[in-house]
Amino acid sequence: MTTLPFSRRGLLAAASALGVGLALRPALAAAADLNFDELYGSFSPLGLEFSDKVKDLTGEKVSIRGFMAPPLKAEAQFFVLSEIPMALCPFCSSDADWPENIVVVYLDRKQTFVQPNQMIEVTGRLDRGSWVDPETGFVSQLRLRDARYKTI
């Protein structure tokens, strides 16, 4: 009679470990790529309208590349990501004046800010719709929450 090199207990442990690995897989899933050209689908008399891609990815983990606008204060845990380098913070706008090439980034932890001409990649959970920050009073249309960034 031939014996197998593994026991039934070993097989059950391996199967159990495989199940745990598969259960954790969504948490490790890569973020969807998003770029500034994909944020809005159209412009109407009512203003900018979000693209179908933004609508589909709302609440999901996304990555987008751009430039950090100069923060208002050094200890802030948020900043504005822009398509092009900016010399000033663009927050001095209302909903109606909201530029189509910026996204507000709320960090999951404090990070050192970078120079405005340094390209970065930001990953976070996409949030859309008009929102007023209760601490600053700033209005935003698109945000990344629980975000982190890295220089490129």
Side-chain angles (χ1 to χ4, degrees), residues 83-115:
E83 184 177 20
I84 57 172
M86 300 183 90
L88 301 172
C89 181
F91 264 130
C92 301
S93 298
S94 68
D95 260 4
D97 301 330
W98 184 257
E100 73 275 1
N101 62 350
I102 65 172
V103 175
V104 180
V105 176
Y106 288 92
L107 300 168
D108 68 347
R109 61 182 170 82
K110 290 185 180 180
Q111 287 186 256
T112 306
F113 293 119
V114 299
Q115 295 297 317

Side-chain angles (χ1 to χ4, degrees), residues 11-78:
L11 264 176
L12 289 173
S16 184
L18 179 61
V20 169
L22 290 175
L24 293 176
R25 189 170 173 227
L28 301 175
D33 287 331
L34 189 62
N35 65 56
F36 285 96
D37 293 338
E38 298 172 317
L39 299 180
Y40 299 96
S42 63
F43 183 79
S44 73
L46 299 175
L48 294 168
E49 294 181 17
F50 297 109
S51 70
D52 289 339
K53 185 171 185 177
V54 164
K55 291 175 186 175
D56 291 343
L57 290 174
T58 297
E60 301 295 323
K61 186 175 173 183
V62 300
S63 288
I64 186 169
R65 292 181 176 192
F67 299 89
M68 183 183 290
L72 293 179
K73 54 186 181 174
E75 69 276 2
Q77 208 160 337
F78 72 95

